[in-house]
Amino acid sequence: MLLLIPGPVQTRPEVRAAMAVDIAPWDRDFFPEYIAIREKLRDVAGGVAGQHACLPLQGAGHFITEAAIRSFIPPQGQPGAGRLLIPMNGAYAERMARLAREAGRAVVTLPCPDTRGVTPAEIALALAADPAISHVGVVYSETGSGIVNDVPAIGAVVREHGRRMIVDAVSAFGALPFDLKAQPEVDAVVFTSNKCIEGLPGLGFAICPVERVEQAAGQAGSWSFDLADVYATAQRAGWGSFRFTPPVQALHAFGIALDIFLAEGGQPARLARYRENCRILYEGGRALGLKPYLDWKQQGPIIALFHQPEHPGFGLQRFVDALKRRGVLISNFHNTVEPTFRIGCIGHVGPDEIRFALGAMRGALDELGVRRRDAA
Ligand SMILES: *Cc1c(COP(=O)(O)O)cnc(C)c1O
């Protein structure tokens, strides 16, 4: 089965095979392996040894995002309480806002359509209007619609205004450029094991400035989600240590995926492959008479959405089932207000797989009786 969902992604056989072992996470042989993963990730993020730390957390991407929010934004009702500005241009921005509110952090929303990235000028205006905003929370690649928010340009504005930034790079890290040492306003850039690095699900990671993590001690209001405690544990027990049982097989497999990522040329090579996947999909979809959700100018390289054809024969689950019978699995839901369907361009897939998927889409639309010219 070809998995074309925006995570967990299609993985290489050797990455999956690495899961089939028993490992004691506290074993001294695993210690250096885990340390090496943390150091490599810090380097991929543009971090500097001694100045930036890789702080992993068990669980899904939402967990590491919540941990970053709790750890770096002082809660409401306390002296120096923070306020988080979020440009609301997609489903993951909505999710960040909910995570922050439920953690008792004040949220300021900046309305923005999900068909384009927020502009640095819009962020500047919002920051000027509310001096109490301490942080800006930005989703780098908005997986709900496929757009990209320009994190380096937004970061420059945040820096100018003397505020801090939290970057949800879950579907971007390893594909879109990111350089932590050039963005000192960033408190945390967060991502998971199962997206653009092409590992299996189970872990989230935050790369953070050490100085900021030290200042964050005691602020999370949660032991599980306290990145300052993850850091303190590493200081005390070593960078190969864990606080709680990790998904150790997923971590081991992730180390192999990460080495493959680096050997293939790292972020620029991955971006080039995903961009090409996306271009073939976007153009191929149009050739089938499908209407892309985004203008090409706004289309990021991670995921492409198409409007669902307005045809009585089309139903999303029926389409997904018909594709599945042809060996391709896509999401059976959409995060946009308008009915769309979405196809991931990430994972261990290249042009051949995307062309195979386009063939499957043609077959599925035919089976559903959707005359392709009606779909445009
Ligand atoms: C996948 C994703 C997440 C995390 O999702 P989980 O299901 O919690 O792993 C967060 N943000 C973005 C932009 C994502 O694409």
Side-chain angles (χ1 to χ4, degrees):
M1 188 66 69
L2 176 61
L3 222 54
L4 289 182
I5 58 176
V9 298
Q10 183 89 16
T11 55
R12 282 176 176 267
E14 59 267 48
V15 172
R16 294 194 295 275
M19 295 279 286
V21 286
D22 291 316
I23 309 169
W26 290 277
D27 185 72
R28 294 294 114 170
D29 284 344
F30 194 67
F31 221 73
E33 190 176 327
Y34 181 37
I35 294 173
I37 289 171
R38 293 174 86 160
E39 291 177 348
K40 286 174 198 169
L41 287 175
R42 179 201 61 213
D43 294 349
V44 172
V48 176
Q51 290 176 37
H52 299 102
C54 173
L55 304 171
L57 198 70
Q58 296 87 339
H62 285 78
F63 295 16
I64 191 74
T65 305
E66 174 169 351
I69 289 167
R70 283 182 170 275
S71 300
F72 291 108
I73 303 173
Q76 281 175 287
Q78 281 189 14
R83 205 178 270 193
L84 177 64
L85 174 74
I86 306 177
M88 302 300 284
N89 52 4
Y92 285 93
E94 301 274 356
R95 283 154 176 256
M96 187 190 279
R98 177 169 174 182
L99 288 171
R101 285 196 190 102
E102 297 208 6
R105 269 65 178 175
V107 173
V108 180
T109 55
L110 174 60
C112 182
D114 72 355
T115 46
R116 65 166 173 86
V118 69
T119 65
E122 288 171 309
I123 298 287
L125 219 56
L127 291 180
D130 187 348
I133 291 169
S134 59
H135 285 75
V136 179
V138 182
V139 179
Y140 198 166
S141 161
E142 176 49 79
T143 321
S145 70
I147 55 163
V148 169
N149 287 308
D150 187 345
V151 160
I154 294 164
V157 166
V158 173
R159 198 153 68 234
E160 267 165 40
H161 285 77
R163 318 294 170 88
R164 310 292 309 165
M165 185 147 97
I166 290 173
V167 182
D168 171 350
V170 177
S171 68
F173 190 81
L176 295 175
F178 186 82
D179 187 9
L180 197 52
K181 63 187 165 303
Q183 297 211 248
E185 72 284 359
V186 171
D187 275 348
V189 56
V190 303
F191 54 94
T192 60
S193 49
N194 59 288
K195 294 205 176 169
C196 302
I197 306 287
E198 302 182 359
L200 293 140
L203 283 133
F205 304 90
I207 320 283
C208 308
V210 163
E211 190 188 6
R212 292 288 298 163
V213 184
E214 284 170 348
Q215 291 164 358
Q219 192 161 264
S222 158
W223 183 19
S224 297
F225 292 117
D226 186 0
L227 292 177
D229 190 62
V230 176
Y231 176 75
T233 303
Q235 291 287 92
R236 192 178 61 250
W239 291 88
S241 67
F242 298 94
R243 302 185 305 160
F244 316 123
T245 302
V248 62
Q249 285 82 1
L251 186 56
H252 177 58
F254 179 71
I256 289 166
L258 184 57
D259 285 341
I260 293 169
F261 163 82
L262 294 170
E264 281 180 355
Q267 175 267 320
R270 200 134 293 191
L271 178 59
R273 174 155 58 87
Y274 292 169
R275 262 215 182 111
E276 182 64 359
N277 287 349
C278 191
R279 189 190 62 78
I280 294 169
L281 179 61
Y282 191 96
E283 286 175 6
R286 287 179 65 179
L288 292 175
L290 295 165
K291 187 168 177 249
Y293 184 66
L294 298 176
D295 288 343
W296 178 247
K297 278 203 316 290
Q298 302 296 336
Q299 177 64 59
I302 305 302
I303 182 167
L305 275 65
F306 294 96
H307 289 277
Q308 291 183 22
E310 281 179 44
H311 185 285
F314 190 91
L316 182 55
Q317 190 62 54
R318 294 182 61 208
F319 182 55
V320 169
D321 290 343
L323 278 177
K324 194 167 155 186
R325 281 194 290 278
R326 290 166 174 80
V328 178
L329 200 54
I330 69 164
S331 300
N332 60 358
F333 61 92
H334 59 88
N335 290 129
T336 50
V337 176
E338 290 173 52
T340 57
F341 65 90
R342 53 191 213 149
I343 299 181
C345 307
I346 61 175
H348 176 50
V349 295
D352 288 348
E353 284 75 20
I354 299 294
R355 289 194 189 98
F356 176 79
L358 285 163
M361 284 161 67
R362 176 188 296 277
L365 289 170
D366 284 348
E367 182 188 322
L368 267 50
V370 178
R371 281 162 55 222
R372 285 186 294 278
R373 65 173 174 279
D374 290 346

